[in-house]
């Protein structure tokens, strides 16, 4: 401990932040990208780019089309699913699972897509994990067991919470410095960038860290649950979140109502409420049923109603009830963390706040390295810790954006028939990241940062061009036909390219900047020799 | 349109709060700030922020509006930080112009 509370808090803030910042950057970076998981999924399957959302589409007709496709393609399946198109996923998705083979818990899962405007089945899309990979990466990491990864992420998140709270304690002029940023002043500017990015989105940082821990609270703190329920943890979950258990199949064959009658039965129950999806269980059995899920509204409580109907008689078997306050609180916290309730505008603000978090983490680590480097210069002493931090900084803060860009390139450049292509897309992400890390072992100067940022800008800037070459629909075309999800993706890539280009430009060495200014001035004065 | 008006209201509120600080006020208006002026900017900024929350609550409901307001505060502040760091004088015409656009938006 240090000699004063303030110094102890400063020490705590520095070390809990520094020790976990690289893992936290990965978690923040992947989590921020995952706010656009559905959009990334769509972009990474160019076979589905022709599909467009129509707010006035007849949902009854769409469900009928889904049912027809399922009846043709999977009459003997165990379960069917139909998901109606949304603005973010402008596709009618139908899916089914085969009966589980012996020794298996679940049968194989298959899905197909229908263009909701034309009603035509879309060709089989390429295999890709899309945005789902980034979503999983942000708490399950990769190449390791899920359980280990979640413990690592939870440990780092706890450290982050401590770093944020101690940061608030040590930052005395939190309101006075609210709008302050003094550019071009070395470590002072890094401190300003760190403080500004922390304070401007402070409620978001606190919320995202705390709710992140809440999502896995029973894994991190199971003792209360264990004491009360012992090995019967399932009993707790049944009491806490009562879920309607679909009755088991009786084995007695029965015919499902014809599609029109079934739709009428569903309509009489749900009325005009917007349907999100339907799940059919125990097909061709006397206990056959359908669960109708209503689309959640844009509110913090994401517990949308559902109805359970018999597909043989059309009668209502069960429906959702009001859940407990604790259940609703936890549900709201998870919704706040995932941004599931957010409309397009708020989603964009979530992205902005997430990027601010990335800047906060990166600027903190770089500031630490800059300060130590200045101390070393004074003492003329070499510090191996500084070399390691500089290496990790370059590998993580410059490497991850490059890795993400390479993931998108791999999606379009790997042949569609490539064996295990969805995993190879992910391997490309990690290979490119490893290459930057390798470079960071040998070169870590300002010029390397600048060149890597320029490369990142180039990679993101060329992505819309790659899309135009590998998809039937390009940026202008998408804007014209109001396919804003795809157009938005391309525009976002261009914005990222501009951001990295500006960062690279600011990283130009002072000598070069000075030389450019002198040349410009002499040209303007007409004194060029 | 409603969302744009609400975002502009938030930007005006944060701009007024920024002007209540001596260093920012001097950078923007090139003149010293009196205590009465600082209090005035602070009160006006807080009132505008409350107005912004009220407008958003009417539109989206109080819970959603709370999250949205925090996002708008973040976005407005980032724009203000950039403006105050690189082009502080620009804030002088931008704030009244935003107010006019905002009022027109509220009226129509």
């Amino acid at each position: 401990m240090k000699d004063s509370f303030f110094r102890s808090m400063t020490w705590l803030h520095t070390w809990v932040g520094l020790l976990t910042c690289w893992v936290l950057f990965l978690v923040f970076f992947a989590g921020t990208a995952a706010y656009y998981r559905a959009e990334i999924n769509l972009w990474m399957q160019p076979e589905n780019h022709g599909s467009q959302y129509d707010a006035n589409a007849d949902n009854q007709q769409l469900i009928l089309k889904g049912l027809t496709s399922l009846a043709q393609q999977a009459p003997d399946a165990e379960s069917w699913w139909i998901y109606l198109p949304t603005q973010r996923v402008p596709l009618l998705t139908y899916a089914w699972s085969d009966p589980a083979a012996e020794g298996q818990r679940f049968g194989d899962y298959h899905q197909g897509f229908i263009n909701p405007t034309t009603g035509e089945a879309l060709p089989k899309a390429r295999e890709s994990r899309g945005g789902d990979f980034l979503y999983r990466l942000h708490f399950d990491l990769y190449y390791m067991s899920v359980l280990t990864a979640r413990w690592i992420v939870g440990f780092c998140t706890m450290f982050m919470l401590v770093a944020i709270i101690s940061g608030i304690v040590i930052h005395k002029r939190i309101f006075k410095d609210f709008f302050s940023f003094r550019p071009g002043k070395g470590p002072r500017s890094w401190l300003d960038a760190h403080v500004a990015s922390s304070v401007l989105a402070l409620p978001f940082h606190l919320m995202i860290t705390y709710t992140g821990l809440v999502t896995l609270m029973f894994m991190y703190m199971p003792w209360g649950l264990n004491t009360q329920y012992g090995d019967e943890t399932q009993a707790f979950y049944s009491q806490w979140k009562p879920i309607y258990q679909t009755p088991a199949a009786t084995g007695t064959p029965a015919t499902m109502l014809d599609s029109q009658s079934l739709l009428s039965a569903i309509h009489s129950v749900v009325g005009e409420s917007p349907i999100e999806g339907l799940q059919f269980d125990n097909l061709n059995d006397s206990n056959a049923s359908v669960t109708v899920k209503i689309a959640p509204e844009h509110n913090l409580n994401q517990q949308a109603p559902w109805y359970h109907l018999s597909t043989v008689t059309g009668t209502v078997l069960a429906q959702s009830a009001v859940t407990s306050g604790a259940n609703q609180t936890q549900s709201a916290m998870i919704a706040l963390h995932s941004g599931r309730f957010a409309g397009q505008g708020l989603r964009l603000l979530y992205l902005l706040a997430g990027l601010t978090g990335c800047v906060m983490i990166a600027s903190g680590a770089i500031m630490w390295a800059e300060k130590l480097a200045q101390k070393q210069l004074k003492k003329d002493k070499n510090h191996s810790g500084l070399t390691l931090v500089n290496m990790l900084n370059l590998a993580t803060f410059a490497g991850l954006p490059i890795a993400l860009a390479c993931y998108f390139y791999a999606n379009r450049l790997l042949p569609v028939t490539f064996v295990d292509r969805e995993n190879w897309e992910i391997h490309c992400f990690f290979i490119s990241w490893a290459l930057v890390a390798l470079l960071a072992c040998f070169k870590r100067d300002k010029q390397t940062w600048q060149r890597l940022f320029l490369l990142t800008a180039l990679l993101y800037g060329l992505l819309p061009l790659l899309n135009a070459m590998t998809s039937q629909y390009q940026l202008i075309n998408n804007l014209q036909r109001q396919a804003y999800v795809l157009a938005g993706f391309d525009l976002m890539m261009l914005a990222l390219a501009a951001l990295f280009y500006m960062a690279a430009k600011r990283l130009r060495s002072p000598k070069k900047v000075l030389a450019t200014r002198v040349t410009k001035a002499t040209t303007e004065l007409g004194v060029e020799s | 349109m409603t969302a744009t008006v609400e975002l502009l209201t938030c930007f005006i509120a944060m701009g007024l709060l920024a002007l209540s600080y001596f260093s920012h006020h001097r950078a923007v208006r090139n003149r010293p700030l009196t205590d009465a002026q600082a209090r005035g900017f602070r009160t006006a900024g807080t009132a505008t922020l409350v107005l912004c929350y009220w407008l958003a609550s009417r539109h989206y409901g109080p819970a959603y509006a709370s999250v949205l307001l925090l996002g708008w505060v973040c976005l407005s502040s980032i724009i203000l930080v950039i403006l105050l760091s690189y082009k502080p004088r620009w804030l002088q015409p931008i704030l009244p112009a935003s107010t006019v656009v905002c009022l027109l938006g509220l009226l129509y």
Side-chain angles (χ1 to χ4, degrees), chain A residues 216-279:
Chain A
L216 295 172
M217 61 183 176
F218 292 118
M219 187 184 145
Y220 301 137
M221 296 182 74
W223 308 290
L225 183 63
N226 290 346
T227 309
Q228 195 66 26
Y229 289 86
D231 293 334
E232 301 293 317
T233 46
Q234 200 51 48
F236 163 75
Y237 290 112
S238 306
Q239 283 174 15
W240 182 46
K241 282 192 174 183
I243 300 168
Y244 179 74
Q245 297 293 329
T246 312
T250 57
T252 317
T255 318
M256 194 164 102
L257 286 172
D258 65 278
S259 303
Q260 281 295 354
S261 312
L262 184 65
L263 282 179
S264 304
I266 291 172
H267 186 71
S268 66
V269 174
V270 303
E272 295 306 318
S273 305
I275 297 173
E276 184 183 59
L278 303 133
Q279 179 180 333

Side-chain angles (χ1 to χ4, degrees), chain A residues 19-243:
Chain A
L19 289 176
T20 55
C21 67
W22 303 286
V23 178
L24 283 173
F25 187 84
L26 170 69
V27 173
F28 249 80
F29 183 79
T32 304
Y35 283 127
Y36 284 93
R37 178 183 170 186
E39 289 78 358
I40 294 172
N41 279 345
L42 182 68
W43 190 87
M44 291 181 80
Q45 292 195 314
E47 295 81 5
N48 296 339
H49 283 190
S51 194
Q52 247 182 302
Y53 178 68
D54 178 9
N56 302 316
D58 185 351
N59 279 352
Q60 300 251 351
Q61 285 302 316
L62 289 175
I63 295 171
L64 271 178
K65 274 176 191 152
L67 279 173
T68 313
S69 302
L70 284 166
Q72 283 169 358
Q73 292 179 41
D76 300 321
E78 192 169 71
S79 299
W80 287 348
W81 290 270
I82 294 174
Y83 298 104
L84 287 161
T86 61
Q87 264 183 331
R88 296 182 67 202
V89 187
L91 303 158
L92 176 75
T93 311
Y94 61 92
W96 69 93
S97 72
D98 296 332
E102 248 187 57
Q104 266 189 331
R105 203 170 155 207
F106 302 107
D108 288 340
Y109 180 84
H110 313 268
Q111 65 177 12
F113 302 105
I114 292 174
N115 184 338
T117 39
T118 61
E120 287 168 12
L122 291 159
K124 193 178 180 311
R126 67 189 58 197
E127 283 176 14
S128 173
R129 292 272 307 276
D132 298 341
F133 158 65
L134 296 165
Y135 170 69
R136 284 275 161 196
L137 179 71
H138 116 272
F139 60 97
D140 279 352
L141 306 180
Y142 206 74
Y143 299 125
M144 67 169 72
S145 95
V146 167
L147 216 62
T148 315
R150 288 181 184 186
W151 272 110
I152 294 172
V153 172
F155 182 76
C156 293
T157 312
M158 196 65 222
F159 265 46
M160 175 146 178
L161 194 61
V162 173
I164 291 176
I165 294 168
S166 54
I168 296 169
V169 173
I170 60 170
H171 190 45
K172 292 172 185 167
R173 292 156 52 94
I174 204 157
F175 289 110
K176 277 199 169 176
D177 287 344
F178 198 82
F179 302 102
S180 298
F181 176 65
R182 285 151 286 191
K185 291 200 168 133
R188 181 81 240 178
S189 300
W190 282 113
L191 178 64
D192 281 349
H194 182 63
V195 169
S197 54
S198 315
V199 174
L200 297 183
L202 183 63
F204 172 82
H205 300 324
L206 272 171
M207 176 278 287
I208 213 76
T209 314
Y210 182 71
T211 54
L213 288 168
V214 167
T215 54
L216 295 172
M217 61 183 176
F218 292 118
M219 187 184 145
Y220 301 137
M221 296 182 74
W223 308 290
L225 183 63
N226 290 346
T227 309
Q228 195 66 26
Y229 289 86
D231 293 334
E232 301 293 317
T233 46
Q234 200 51 48
F236 163 75
Y237 290 112
S238 306
Q239 283 174 15
W240 182 46
K241 282 192 174 183
I243 300 168

Side-chain angles (χ1 to χ4, degrees), chain A residues 342-377:
Chain A
Q344 286 302 330
L346 187 55
R347 193 167 293 278
L348 206 59
L349 293 172
Y350 260 90
L351 176 83
L352 182 77
L355 289 177
T356 317
C358 292
V359 173
M360 171 183 75
I361 297 167
S363 56
I366 292 169
M367 184 177 69
W368 186 88
E370 286 258 321
K371 273 186 179 173
L372 196 66
Q374 279 198 344
K375 271 187 197 167
Q376 269 190 20
L377 269 178

Side-chain angles (χ1 to χ4, degrees), chain A residues 472-492:
Chain A
Q472 283 183 305
Y473 302 91
Q474 32 78 6
L475 177 59
I476 308 292
N477 195 266
N478 284 330
L479 283 171
Q480 278 170 347
R481 66 188 186 108
Q482 298 177 344
Y484 294 124
V485 171
L486 294 169
F489 185 96
D490 281 354
L491 289 173
M492 189 67 79

Side-chain angles (χ1 to χ4, degrees), chain B residues 42-54:
Chain B
R42 214 168 294 144
T43 313
T46 313
T48 317
L49 208 57
V50 173
L51 172 75
C52 175
Y53 179 65
W54 179 73

Side-chain angles (χ1 to χ4, degrees), chain A residues 43 46 49 126 408-414 466-467 470-471:
Chain A
W43 190 87
H49 283 190
R126 67 189 58 197
F408 293 144
Y409 275 87
N411 171 259
R412 296 304 174 87
L413 298 178
L414 284 178
L466 178 75
N467 180 50
T470 51
S471 164

